[in-house]
Amino acid sequence: MNHINLGIIGAGIIAHNHVEAAINTPGVKLLCIADIVSQKAESLAEKYNIKPYTNNREMLDNESLDAVIITLPVFLHCESVVEAANRGLHILVEKPMASTVEECNLMISEAKKNNVKLMVGHIQRYISSNMRAFEMIQEGTLGGLIMINERRYYNYFNDRRPAWCLKKETAGGGVIMNLGAHSIDKVLYMSQSRIKKVHGKVGFFATGTDVEGNGQLLLEMENGVSAVTTHYGYSKVAEYTTEYIFHDGIIKTTTNNIITIQAGDKRYDEELLKIDPFKLQLEDFIKSIEEDKTPAISGEYGLEVIQAITSVY
Ligand SMILES: NC(=O)c1ccc[n+]([C@@H]2O[C@H](COP(=O)([O-])OP(=O)(O)OC[C@H]3O[C@@H](n4cnc5c(N)ncnc54)[C@H](O)[C@@H]3O)[C@@H](O)[C@H]2O)c1
């Protein structure tokens, strides 16, 4: 295969990041994008000289694609993955994988049946600060990892939040399904372990919505690492902090490219190079196709995240 012919399904908020990544990734030829809102597909298509569609199926019928990126609302992930798999297309689907364990299992089995790659867009491992923290965990610079502590405070119910995110039926859940999925991904990846037990509590204190606006998870990993993650979606001031606590120190991440390291009695900041995480993610997806290997973030991995989330609802 000279290059991968790629299409994108869904031209909303996160599609912009995927389009930009695809345009800048060697070995990828982005051909087209579909959205039921024609103006959304058209504006991206015009900017990047690709073909717009208002109907996914028409796009898949007309174009000669090898792979698709699915950036649709969560309730459409399963049916669109199944459709793409049955057409023999490799798939990168945005997180969270789907609303239910049953849907995830169907997506996995359809991808296997059709011998196509299925990767879930859990982006955390491609973010500079997380990459540096992971490197230090692997090197054992601060001894063994013991605990992870994450706080995410934000105004989840802001005016820019797409309407489908505020309904259980279309989003599968609120802050834990949407952003807790990132936290669980981080804990799974950083601990390099599997979830042994999850305890969780979610709260519903926002009006005009049936999704949770706050929640806490306590994750116990098979290798002994534990993690607490707090999501507070009613905050007017944002905070996003993750602490990795080791035998001999602490790593704290706040933004994409700054990391604070506490080693012994010293504490210092490291400023990291900003790298586009979506490009790294796409490169991994493409590599799994070219080398015919299991994607870095498999359907089974995406399923484990959904099992943890749905177990606390
Ligand atoms: N990786 C990340 O950091 C990250 C960030 C934001 C969103 N996401 C995920 O990306 C996905 C999309 O989120 P978003 O924020 O871009 O939402 P969005 O609402 O902005 O985009 C979804 C798009 O899908 C379109 N759409 C709906 N039904 C369609 C259909 N039948 N056919 C074609 N298009 C259709 C909508 O018109 C909309 O433009 C979700 O799974 C979300 O969790 C991931």
Side-chain angles (χ1 to χ4, degrees), residues 122 124-125 127 129-130 134 137 145 148 150 152 180-192 219 221 227 240-244 253-254 301 305:
H122 283 294
Q124 293 299 321
R125 68 191 63 190
I127 294 174
S129 52
N130 297 338
F134 184 70
I137 293 169
L145 177 65
I148 301 173
E150 177 161 274
R152 287 193 77 167
H182 286 301
S183 307
I184 297 169
D185 168 32
K186 212 184 267 185
V187 174
L188 277 168
Y189 182 63
M190 293 295 182
S191 69
Q192 288 288 291
L219 298 156
M221 308 305 286
Y240 184 5
T241 308
T242 311
E243 292 163 338
Y244 300 96
T253 64
T254 44
Y301 184 98
V305 174

PDB file of all heavy atoms in Angstrom, residues 122 124-125 127 129-130 134 137 145 148 150 152 180-192 219 221 227 240-244 253-254 301 305:
ATOM      1  N   HIS A 122      -8.178   6.950  22.373  1.00  0.00           N
ATOM      2  CA  HIS A 122      -7.798   7.393  23.726  1.00  0.00           C
ATOM      3  C   HIS A 122      -6.469   8.127  23.604  1.00  0.00           C
ATOM      4  O   HIS A 122      -5.408   7.520  23.498  1.00  0.00           O
ATOM      5  CB  HIS A 122      -7.707   6.188  24.667  1.00  0.00           C
ATOM      6  CG  HIS A 122      -9.048   5.694  25.119  1.00  0.00           C
ATOM      7  ND1 HIS A 122      -9.878   6.457  25.916  1.00  0.00           N
ATOM      8  CD2 HIS A 122      -9.706   4.535  24.894  1.00  0.00           C
ATOM      9  CE1 HIS A 122     -10.992   5.787  26.152  1.00  0.00           C
ATOM     10  NE2 HIS A 122     -10.926   4.615  25.540  1.00  0.00           N
ATOM     11  N   GLN A 124      -4.631  10.160  25.530  1.00  0.00           N
ATOM     12  CA  GLN A 124      -3.755  10.595  26.636  1.00  0.00           C
ATOM     13  C   GLN A 124      -2.280  10.258  26.446  1.00  0.00           C
ATOM     14  O   GLN A 124      -1.408  11.033  26.784  1.00  0.00           O
ATOM     15  CB  GLN A 124      -4.255  10.015  27.968  1.00  0.00           C
ATOM     16  CG  GLN A 124      -5.597  10.567  28.400  1.00  0.00           C
ATOM     17  CD  GLN A 124      -5.558  12.072  28.620  1.00  0.00           C
ATOM     18  OE1 GLN A 124      -4.593  12.610  29.147  1.00  0.00           O
ATOM     19  NE2 GLN A 124      -6.600  12.763  28.194  1.00  0.00           N
ATOM     20  N   ARG A 125      -1.986   9.084  25.917  1.00  0.00           N
ATOM     21  CA  ARG A 125      -0.586   8.649  25.823  1.00  0.00           C
ATOM     22  C   ARG A 125       0.222   9.447  24.796  1.00  0.00           C
ATOM     23  O   ARG A 125       1.431   9.282  24.710  1.00  0.00           O
ATOM     24  CB  ARG A 125      -0.520   7.162  25.467  1.00  0.00           C
ATOM     25  CG  ARG A 125      -0.988   6.855  24.085  1.00  0.00           C
ATOM     26  CD  ARG A 125      -1.144   5.379  23.874  1.00  0.00           C
ATOM     27  NE  ARG A 125      -2.174   4.829  24.761  1.00  0.00           N
ATOM     28  CZ  ARG A 125      -2.401   3.546  24.928  1.00  0.00           C
ATOM     29  NH1 ARG A 125      -1.662   2.669  24.298  1.00  0.00           N
ATOM     30  NH2 ARG A 125      -3.362   3.116  25.725  1.00  0.00           N
ATOM     31  N   ILE A 127       0.030  12.847  24.598  1.00  0.00           N
ATOM     32  CA  ILE A 127       0.174  14.220  25.095  1.00  0.00           C
ATOM     33  C   ILE A 127       1.547  14.354  25.761  1.00  0.00           C
ATOM     34  O   ILE A 127       1.951  13.484  26.553  1.00  0.00           O
ATOM     35  CB  ILE A 127      -0.989  14.542  26.067  1.00  0.00           C
ATOM     36  CG1 ILE A 127      -2.306  14.545  25.267  1.00  0.00           C
ATOM     37  CG2 ILE A 127      -0.762  15.839  26.811  1.00  0.00           C
ATOM     38  CD1 ILE A 127      -3.562  14.701  26.077  1.00  0.00           C
ATOM     39  N   SER A 129       3.133  15.926  28.173  1.00  0.00           N
ATOM     40  CA  SER A 129       3.387  15.776  29.608  1.00  0.00           C
ATOM     41  C   SER A 129       3.179  14.322  30.037  1.00  0.00           C
ATOM     42  O   SER A 129       3.937  13.789  30.862  1.00  0.00           O
ATOM     43  CB  SER A 129       2.471  16.703  30.409  1.00  0.00           C
ATOM     44  OG  SER A 129       1.135  16.506  30.025  1.00  0.00           O
ATOM     45  N   ASN A 130       2.186  13.680  29.471  1.00  0.00           N
ATOM     46  CA  ASN A 130       1.944  12.275  29.819  1.00  0.00           C
ATOM     47  C   ASN A 130       3.044  11.372  29.259  1.00  0.00           C
ATOM     48  O   ASN A 130       3.424  10.373  29.880  1.00  0.00           O
ATOM     49  CB  ASN A 130       0.579  11.816  29.287  1.00  0.00           C
ATOM     50  CG  ASN A 130      -0.562  12.575  29.923  1.00  0.00           C
ATOM     51  OD1 ASN A 130      -0.397  13.134  31.007  1.00  0.00           O
ATOM     52  ND2 ASN A 130      -1.699  12.628  29.271  1.00  0.00           N
ATOM     53  N   PHE A 134       5.289   9.041  31.563  1.00  0.00           N
ATOM     54  CA  PHE A 134       5.377   7.604  31.255  1.00  0.00           C
ATOM     55  C   PHE A 134       6.836   7.155  31.141  1.00  0.00           C
ATOM     56  O   PHE A 134       7.221   6.103  31.661  1.00  0.00           O
ATOM     57  CB  PHE A 134       4.623   7.299  29.950  1.00  0.00           C
ATOM     58  CG  PHE A 134       4.585   5.841  29.611  1.00  0.00           C
ATOM     59  CD1 PHE A 134       3.832   4.950  30.355  1.00  0.00           C
ATOM     60  CD2 PHE A 134       5.328   5.338  28.538  1.00  0.00           C
ATOM     61  CE1 PHE A 134       3.800   3.591  30.053  1.00  0.00           C
ATOM     62  CE2 PHE A 134       5.305   3.981  28.228  1.00  0.00           C
ATOM     63  CZ  PHE A 134       4.537   3.105  28.982  1.00  0.00           C
ATOM     64  N   ILE A 137       8.251   6.848  34.523  1.00  0.00           N
ATOM     65  CA  ILE A 137       7.725   5.648  35.191  1.00  0.00           C
ATOM     66  C   ILE A 137       8.505   4.421  34.702  1.00  0.00           C
ATOM     67  O   ILE A 137       8.956   3.591  35.482  1.00  0.00           O
ATOM     68  CB  ILE A 137       6.206   5.476  34.922  1.00  0.00           C
ATOM     69  CG1 ILE A 137       5.412   6.598  35.593  1.00  0.00           C
ATOM     70  CG2 ILE A 137       5.716   4.107  35.401  1.00  0.00           C
ATOM     71  CD1 ILE A 137       3.946   6.676  35.189  1.00  0.00           C
ATOM     72  N   LEU A 145       5.832   3.289  40.945  1.00  0.00           N
ATOM     73  CA  LEU A 145       4.590   4.079  41.014  1.00  0.00           C
ATOM     74  C   LEU A 145       3.656   3.420  42.031  1.00  0.00           C
ATOM     75  O   LEU A 145       3.441   2.200  42.000  1.00  0.00           O
ATOM     76  CB  LEU A 145       3.934   4.095  39.624  1.00  0.00           C
ATOM     77  CG  LEU A 145       2.594   4.811  39.494  1.00  0.00           C
ATOM     78  CD1 LEU A 145       2.733   6.315  39.750  1.00  0.00           C
ATOM     79  CD2 LEU A 145       1.995   4.576  38.107  1.00  0.00           C
ATOM     80  N   ILE A 148      -2.096   7.285  41.916  1.00  0.00           N
ATOM     81  CA  ILE A 148      -2.386   8.381  40.975  1.00  0.00           C
ATOM     82  C   ILE A 148      -3.567   9.172  41.542  1.00  0.00           C
ATOM     83  O   ILE A 148      -4.525   8.580  42.052  1.00  0.00           O
ATOM     84  CB  ILE A 148      -2.737   7.841  39.569  1.00  0.00           C
ATOM     85  CG1 ILE A 148      -1.576   6.999  39.007  1.00  0.00           C
ATOM     86  CG2 ILE A 148      -3.080   8.991  38.614  1.00  0.00           C
ATOM     87  CD1 ILE A 148      -1.881   6.275  37.709  1.00  0.00           C
ATOM     88  N   GLU A 150      -6.082  12.388  40.498  1.00  0.00           N
ATOM     89  CA  GLU A 150      -6.431  13.347  39.422  1.00  0.00           C
ATOM     90  C   GLU A 150      -7.634  14.195  39.807  1.00  0.00           C
ATOM     91  O   GLU A 150      -8.620  13.677  40.328  1.00  0.00           O
ATOM     92  CB  GLU A 150      -6.723  12.582  38.123  1.00  0.00           C
ATOM     93  CG  GLU A 150      -7.169  13.523  37.014  1.00  0.00           C
ATOM     94  CD  GLU A 150      -7.031  12.935  35.628  1.00  0.00           C
ATOM     95  OE1 GLU A 150      -5.944  13.037  35.052  1.00  0.00           O
ATOM     96  OE2 GLU A 150      -8.011  12.352  35.137  1.00  0.00           O
ATOM     97  N   ARG A 152     -10.204  17.056  38.039  1.00  0.00           N
ATOM     98  CA  ARG A 152     -10.620  17.844  36.863  1.00  0.00           C
ATOM     99  C   ARG A 152     -11.844  18.650  37.248  1.00  0.00           C
ATOM    100  O   ARG A 152     -12.911  18.092  37.509  1.00  0.00           O
ATOM    101  CB  ARG A 152     -10.939  16.931  35.665  1.00  0.00           C
ATOM    102  CG  ARG A 152      -9.692  16.336  35.051  1.00  0.00           C
ATOM    103  CD  ARG A 152      -9.961  15.711  33.692  1.00  0.00           C
ATOM    104  NE  ARG A 152     -10.096  16.722  32.648  1.00  0.00           N
ATOM    105  CZ  ARG A 152     -10.086  16.436  31.348  1.00  0.00           C
ATOM    106  NH1 ARG A 152      -9.945  15.181  30.927  1.00  0.00           N
ATOM    107  NH2 ARG A 152     -10.219  17.389  30.443  1.00  0.00           N
ATOM    108  N   GLY A 180     -14.184  11.232  32.274  1.00  0.00           N
ATOM    109  CA  GLY A 180     -13.654  10.134  33.100  1.00  0.00           C
ATOM    110  C   GLY A 180     -12.995   9.083  32.216  1.00  0.00           C
ATOM    111  O   GLY A 180     -12.055   8.393  32.632  1.00  0.00           O
ATOM    112  N   ALA A 181     -13.472   8.954  30.979  1.00  0.00           N
ATOM    113  CA  ALA A 181     -12.859   8.006  30.031  1.00  0.00           C
ATOM    114  C   ALA A 181     -11.382   8.345  29.828  1.00  0.00           C
ATOM    115  O   ALA A 181     -10.532   7.461  29.729  1.00  0.00           O
ATOM    116  CB  ALA A 181     -13.597   8.050  28.699  1.00  0.00           C
ATOM    117  N   HIS A 182     -11.053   9.645  29.805  1.00  0.00           N
ATOM    118  CA  HIS A 182      -9.651  10.069  29.681  1.00  0.00           C
ATOM    119  C   HIS A 182      -8.868   9.660  30.930  1.00  0.00           C
ATOM    120  O   HIS A 182      -7.724   9.236  30.852  1.00  0.00           O
ATOM    121  CB  HIS A 182      -9.557  11.590  29.536  1.00  0.00           C
ATOM    122  CG  HIS A 182      -9.975  12.101  28.191  1.00  0.00           C
ATOM    123  ND1 HIS A 182      -9.366  11.705  27.030  1.00  0.00           N
ATOM    124  CD2 HIS A 182     -10.926  13.004  27.836  1.00  0.00           C
ATOM    125  CE1 HIS A 182      -9.922  12.345  26.007  1.00  0.00           C
ATOM    126  NE2 HIS A 182     -10.876  13.126  26.465  1.00  0.00           N
ATOM    127  N   SER A 183      -9.507   9.838  32.091  1.00  0.00           N
ATOM    128  CA  SER A 183      -8.814   9.519  33.355  1.00  0.00           C
ATOM    129  C   SER A 183      -8.525   8.020  33.435  1.00  0.00           C
ATOM    130  O   SER A 183      -7.419   7.617  33.809  1.00  0.00           O
ATOM    131  CB  SER A 183      -9.678   9.919  34.553  1.00  0.00           C
ATOM    132  OG  SER A 183     -10.078  11.254  34.450  1.00  0.00           O
ATOM    133  N   ILE A 184      -9.498   7.219  33.091  1.00  0.00           N
ATOM    134  CA  ILE A 184      -9.307   5.763  33.174  1.00  0.00           C
ATOM    135  C   ILE A 184      -8.238   5.323  32.175  1.00  0.00           C
ATOM    136  O   ILE A 184      -7.376   4.493  32.491  1.00  0.00           O
ATOM    137  CB  ILE A 184     -10.657   5.033  32.938  1.00  0.00           C
ATOM    138  CG1 ILE A 184     -11.644   5.398  34.044  1.00  0.00           C
ATOM    139  CG2 ILE A 184     -10.451   3.516  32.880  1.00  0.00           C
ATOM    140  CD1 ILE A 184     -13.067   4.958  33.790  1.00  0.00           C
ATOM    141  N   ASP A 185      -8.274   5.924  30.991  1.00  0.00           N
ATOM    142  CA  ASP A 185      -7.237   5.640  29.991  1.00  0.00           C
ATOM    143  C   ASP A 185      -5.864   5.937  30.583  1.00  0.00           C
ATOM    144  O   ASP A 185      -4.921   5.132  30.465  1.00  0.00           O
ATOM    145  CB  ASP A 185      -7.508   6.509  28.753  1.00  0.00           C
ATOM    146  CG  ASP A 185      -6.354   6.528  27.762  1.00  0.00           C
ATOM    147  OD1 ASP A 185      -5.648   5.506  27.652  1.00  0.00           O
ATOM    148  OD2 ASP A 185      -6.163   7.566  27.083  1.00  0.00           O
ATOM    149  N   LYS A 186      -5.741   7.090  31.227  1.00  0.00           N
ATOM    150  CA  LYS A 186      -4.457   7.502  31.799  1.00  0.00           C
ATOM    151  C   LYS A 186      -4.004   6.494  32.858  1.00  0.00           C
ATOM    152  O   LYS A 186      -2.843   6.081  32.876  1.00  0.00           O
ATOM    153  CB  LYS A 186      -4.651   8.876  32.431  1.00  0.00           C
ATOM    154  CG  LYS A 186      -3.433   9.744  32.383  1.00  0.00           C
ATOM    155  CD  LYS A 186      -3.686  11.026  33.114  1.00  0.00           C
ATOM    156  CE  LYS A 186      -4.187  12.119  32.207  1.00  0.00           C
ATOM    157  NZ  LYS A 186      -4.310  13.396  32.931  1.00  0.00           N
ATOM    158  N   VAL A 187      -4.913   6.070  33.712  1.00  0.00           N
ATOM    159  CA  VAL A 187      -4.550   5.139  34.788  1.00  0.00           C
ATOM    160  C   VAL A 187      -4.134   3.779  34.197  1.00  0.00           C
ATOM    161  O   VAL A 187      -3.124   3.196  34.598  1.00  0.00           O
ATOM    162  CB  VAL A 187      -5.730   4.977  35.785  1.00  0.00           C
ATOM    163  CG1 VAL A 187      -5.406   3.902  36.822  1.00  0.00           C
ATOM    164  CG2 VAL A 187      -6.045   6.301  36.468  1.00  0.00           C
ATOM    165  N   LEU A 188      -4.898   3.309  33.219  1.00  0.00           N
ATOM    166  CA  LEU A 188      -4.565   2.020  32.580  1.00  0.00           C
ATOM    167  C   LEU A 188      -3.185   2.077  31.931  1.00  0.00           C
ATOM    168  O   LEU A 188      -2.357   1.182  32.097  1.00  0.00           O
ATOM    169  CB  LEU A 188      -5.589   1.697  31.481  1.00  0.00           C
ATOM    170  CG  LEU A 188      -6.902   1.044  31.891  1.00  0.00           C
ATOM    171  CD1 LEU A 188      -7.883   1.082  30.729  1.00  0.00           C
ATOM    172  CD2 LEU A 188      -6.680  -0.391  32.348  1.00  0.00           C
ATOM    173  N   TYR A 189      -2.955   3.147  31.201  1.00  0.00           N
ATOM    174  CA  TYR A 189      -1.702   3.245  30.444  1.00  0.00           C
ATOM    175  C   TYR A 189      -0.503   3.472  31.362  1.00  0.00           C
ATOM    176  O   TYR A 189       0.528   2.812  31.232  1.00  0.00           O
ATOM    177  CB  TYR A 189      -1.820   4.380  29.416  1.00  0.00           C
ATOM    178  CG  TYR A 189      -0.591   4.507  28.564  1.00  0.00           C
ATOM    179  CD1 TYR A 189      -0.189   3.473  27.722  1.00  0.00           C
ATOM    180  CD2 TYR A 189       0.197   5.657  28.609  1.00  0.00           C
ATOM    181  CE1 TYR A 189       0.953   3.577  26.944  1.00  0.00           C
ATOM    182  CE2 TYR A 189       1.333   5.770  27.829  1.00  0.00           C
ATOM    183  CZ  TYR A 189       1.708   4.727  27.009  1.00  0.00           C
ATOM    184  OH  TYR A 189       2.848   4.825  26.243  1.00  0.00           O
ATOM    185  N   MET A 190      -0.642   4.398  32.287  1.00  0.00           N
ATOM    186  CA  MET A 190       0.489   4.734  33.161  1.00  0.00           C
ATOM    187  C   MET A 190       0.832   3.578  34.090  1.00  0.00           C
ATOM    188  O   MET A 190       2.004   3.357  34.389  1.00  0.00           O
ATOM    189  CB  MET A 190       0.166   5.984  33.989  1.00  0.00           C
ATOM    190  CG  MET A 190       0.049   7.221  33.153  1.00  0.00           C
ATOM    191  SD  MET A 190       1.626   7.659  32.390  1.00  0.00           S
ATOM    192  CE  MET A 190       1.154   9.160  31.564  1.00  0.00           C
ATOM    193  N   SER A 191      -0.156   2.873  34.565  1.00  0.00           N
ATOM    194  CA  SER A 191       0.124   1.752  35.491  1.00  0.00           C
ATOM    195  C   SER A 191       0.524   0.496  34.723  1.00  0.00           C
ATOM    196  O   SER A 191       1.048  -0.440  35.302  1.00  0.00           O
ATOM    197  CB  SER A 191      -1.103   1.454  36.357  1.00  0.00           C
ATOM    198  OG  SER A 191      -2.134   0.902  35.567  1.00  0.00           O
ATOM    199  N   GLN A 192       0.265   0.495  33.406  1.00  0.00           N
ATOM    200  CA  GLN A 192       0.542  -0.699  32.583  1.00  0.00           C
ATOM    201  C   GLN A 192      -0.054  -1.934  33.247  1.00  0.00           C
ATOM    202  O   GLN A 192       0.589  -2.980  33.346  1.00  0.00           O
ATOM    203  CB  GLN A 192       2.054  -0.870  32.374  1.00  0.00           C
ATOM    204  CG  GLN A 192       2.639   0.165  31.440  1.00  0.00           C
ATOM    205  CD  GLN A 192       2.240  -0.066  29.983  1.00  0.00           C
ATOM    206  OE1 GLN A 192       2.669  -1.017  29.349  1.00  0.00           O
ATOM    207  NE2 GLN A 192       1.383   0.800  29.457  1.00  0.00           N
ATOM    208  N   LEU A 219      -9.906   3.462  41.590  1.00  0.00           N
ATOM    209  CA  LEU A 219      -9.520   2.303  40.775  1.00  0.00           C
ATOM    210  C   LEU A 219      -8.392   1.552  41.463  1.00  0.00           C
ATOM    211  O   LEU A 219      -7.400   2.161  41.878  1.00  0.00           O
ATOM    212  CB  LEU A 219      -9.022   2.766  39.402  1.00  0.00           C
ATOM    213  CG  LEU A 219     -10.026   3.515  38.538  1.00  0.00           C
ATOM    214  CD1 LEU A 219      -9.335   4.397  37.530  1.00  0.00           C
ATOM    215  CD2 LEU A 219     -10.922   2.538  37.818  1.00  0.00           C
ATOM    216  N   MET A 221      -5.720  -1.332  40.707  1.00  0.00           N
ATOM    217  CA  MET A 221      -5.158  -2.035  39.567  1.00  0.00           C
ATOM    218  C   MET A 221      -4.571  -3.382  39.994  1.00  0.00           C
ATOM    219  O   MET A 221      -4.203  -3.571  41.165  1.00  0.00           O
ATOM    220  CB  MET A 221      -4.082  -1.174  38.889  1.00  0.00           C
ATOM    221  CG  MET A 221      -4.547   0.231  38.541  1.00  0.00           C
ATOM    222  SD  MET A 221      -6.046   0.276  37.523  1.00  0.00           S
ATOM    223  CE  MET A 221      -5.394  -0.224  35.927  1.00  0.00           C
ATOM    224  N   ALA A 227      -5.755   4.518  42.179  1.00  0.00           N
ATOM    225  CA  ALA A 227      -5.975   5.848  41.607  1.00  0.00           C
ATOM    226  C   ALA A 227      -7.312   6.407  42.062  1.00  0.00           C
ATOM    227  O   ALA A 227      -8.303   5.667  42.150  1.00  0.00           O
ATOM    228  CB  ALA A 227      -5.947   5.770  40.080  1.00  0.00           C
ATOM    229  N   TYR A 240      -6.990  21.276  36.194  1.00  0.00           N
ATOM    230  CA  TYR A 240      -6.765  19.933  35.671  1.00  0.00           C
ATOM    231  C   TYR A 240      -5.377  19.501  36.126  1.00  0.00           C
ATOM    232  O   TYR A 240      -4.378  19.926  35.575  1.00  0.00           O
ATOM    233  CB  TYR A 240      -6.870  19.973  34.142  1.00  0.00           C
ATOM    234  CG  TYR A 240      -6.753  18.635  33.443  1.00  0.00           C
ATOM    235  CD1 TYR A 240      -6.672  17.437  34.156  1.00  0.00           C
ATOM    236  CD2 TYR A 240      -6.729  18.564  32.059  1.00  0.00           C
ATOM    237  CE1 TYR A 240      -6.571  16.222  33.500  1.00  0.00           C
ATOM    238  CE2 TYR A 240      -6.639  17.350  31.393  1.00  0.00           C
ATOM    239  CZ  TYR A 240      -6.559  16.191  32.117  1.00  0.00           C
ATOM    240  OH  TYR A 240      -6.458  14.985  31.469  1.00  0.00           O
ATOM    241  N   THR A 241      -5.351  18.681  37.154  1.00  0.00           N
ATOM    242  CA  THR A 241      -4.073  18.270  37.735  1.00  0.00           C
ATOM    243  C   THR A 241      -4.038  16.754  37.882  1.00  0.00           C
ATOM    244  O   THR A 241      -5.003  16.154  38.345  1.00  0.00           O
ATOM    245  CB  THR A 241      -3.924  18.872  39.158  1.00  0.00           C
ATOM    246  OG1 THR A 241      -4.148  20.260  39.077  1.00  0.00           O
ATOM    247  CG2 THR A 241      -2.544  18.609  39.732  1.00  0.00           C
ATOM    248  N   THR A 242      -2.924  16.177  37.483  1.00  0.00           N
ATOM    249  CA  THR A 242      -2.727  14.743  37.730  1.00  0.00           C
ATOM    250  C   THR A 242      -1.416  14.569  38.475  1.00  0.00           C
ATOM    251  O   THR A 242      -0.394  15.137  38.069  1.00  0.00           O
ATOM    252  CB  THR A 242      -2.667  13.953  36.406  1.00  0.00           C
ATOM    253  OG1 THR A 242      -3.766  14.342  35.597  1.00  0.00           O
ATOM    254  CG2 THR A 242      -2.734  12.454  36.656  1.00  0.00           C
ATOM    255  N   GLU A 243      -1.448  13.818  39.576  1.00  0.00           N
ATOM    256  CA  GLU A 243      -0.225  13.548  40.350  1.00  0.00           C
ATOM    257  C   GLU A 243       0.075  12.061  40.297  1.00  0.00           C
ATOM    258  O   GLU A 243      -0.812  11.236  40.544  1.00  0.00           O
ATOM    259  CB  GLU A 243      -0.418  13.959  41.815  1.00  0.00           C
ATOM    260  CG  GLU A 243      -0.553  15.449  42.001  1.00  0.00           C
ATOM    261  CD  GLU A 243      -1.150  15.812  43.359  1.00  0.00           C
ATOM    262  OE1 GLU A 243      -1.830  14.961  43.975  1.00  0.00           O
ATOM    263  OE2 GLU A 243      -0.945  16.942  43.790  1.00  0.00           O
ATOM    264  N   TYR A 244       1.312  11.760  39.969  1.00  0.00           N
ATOM    265  CA  TYR A 244       1.793  10.379  40.001  1.00  0.00           C
ATOM    266  C   TYR A 244       2.691  10.273  41.221  1.00  0.00           C
ATOM    267  O   TYR A 244       3.703  10.985  41.313  1.00  0.00           O
ATOM    268  CB  TYR A 244       2.569  10.050  38.721  1.00  0.00           C
ATOM    269  CG  TYR A 244       1.696  10.220  37.499  1.00  0.00           C
ATOM    270  CD1 TYR A 244       1.712  11.404  36.764  1.00  0.00           C
ATOM    271  CD2 TYR A 244       0.813   9.213  37.114  1.00  0.00           C
ATOM    272  CE1 TYR A 244       0.884  11.575  35.668  1.00  0.00           C
ATOM    273  CE2 TYR A 244      -0.012   9.381  36.017  1.00  0.00           C
ATOM    274  CZ  TYR A 244       0.023  10.565  35.303  1.00  0.00           C
ATOM    275  OH  TYR A 244      -0.808  10.728  34.230  1.00  0.00           O
ATOM    276  N   THR A 253       1.324  16.810  36.536  1.00  0.00           N
ATOM    277  CA  THR A 253       1.095  17.383  35.208  1.00  0.00           C
ATOM    278  C   THR A 253      -0.124  18.301  35.276  1.00  0.00           C
ATOM    279  O   THR A 253      -1.103  17.996  35.969  1.00  0.00           O
ATOM    280  CB  THR A 253       0.855  16.303  34.137  1.00  0.00           C
ATOM    281  OG1 THR A 253      -0.348  15.605  34.456  1.00  0.00           O
ATOM    282  CG2 THR A 253       1.997  15.314  34.053  1.00  0.00           C
ATOM    283  N   THR A 254      -0.025  19.415  34.577  1.00  0.00           N
ATOM    284  CA  THR A 254      -1.168  20.331  34.553  1.00  0.00           C
ATOM    285  C   THR A 254      -1.557  20.646  33.109  1.00  0.00           C
ATOM    286  O   THR A 254      -2.671  20.413  32.704  1.00  0.00           O
ATOM    287  CB  THR A 254      -0.860  21.649  35.298  1.00  0.00           C
ATOM    288  OG1 THR A 254       0.432  22.081  34.917  1.00  0.00           O
ATOM    289  CG2 THR A 254      -0.926  21.472  36.792  1.00  0.00           C
ATOM    290  N   TYR A 301      -9.263  -2.738  24.789  1.00  0.00           N
ATOM    291  CA  TYR A 301      -8.847  -1.674  25.723  1.00  0.00           C
ATOM    292  C   TYR A 301     -10.006  -0.683  25.918  1.00  0.00           C
ATOM    293  O   TYR A 301     -10.355  -0.310  27.032  1.00  0.00           O
ATOM    294  CB  TYR A 301      -7.610  -0.975  25.150  1.00  0.00           C
ATOM    295  CG  TYR A 301      -6.993   0.095  26.024  1.00  0.00           C
ATOM    296  CD1 TYR A 301      -5.887  -0.187  26.826  1.00  0.00           C
ATOM    297  CD2 TYR A 301      -7.485   1.398  26.029  1.00  0.00           C
ATOM    298  CE1 TYR A 301      -5.299   0.800  27.614  1.00  0.00           C
ATOM    299  CE2 TYR A 301      -6.908   2.390  26.813  1.00  0.00           C
ATOM    300  CZ  TYR A 301      -5.810   2.076  27.595  1.00  0.00           C
ATOM    301  OH  TYR A 301      -5.228   3.068  28.371  1.00  0.00           O
ATOM    302  N   VAL A 305     -12.424   0.305  29.451  1.00  0.00           N
ATOM    303  CA  VAL A 305     -12.788   1.637  29.943  1.00  0.00           C
ATOM    304  C   VAL A 305     -14.316   1.710  30.145  1.00  0.00           C
ATOM    305  O   VAL A 305     -14.802   2.186  31.174  1.00  0.00           O
ATOM    306  CB  VAL A 305     -12.308   2.736  28.960  1.00  0.00           C
ATOM    307  CG1 VAL A 305     -12.801   4.114  29.384  1.00  0.00           C
ATOM    308  CG2 VAL A 305     -10.780   2.720  28.832  1.00  0.00           C
TER     309      VAL A 305
END
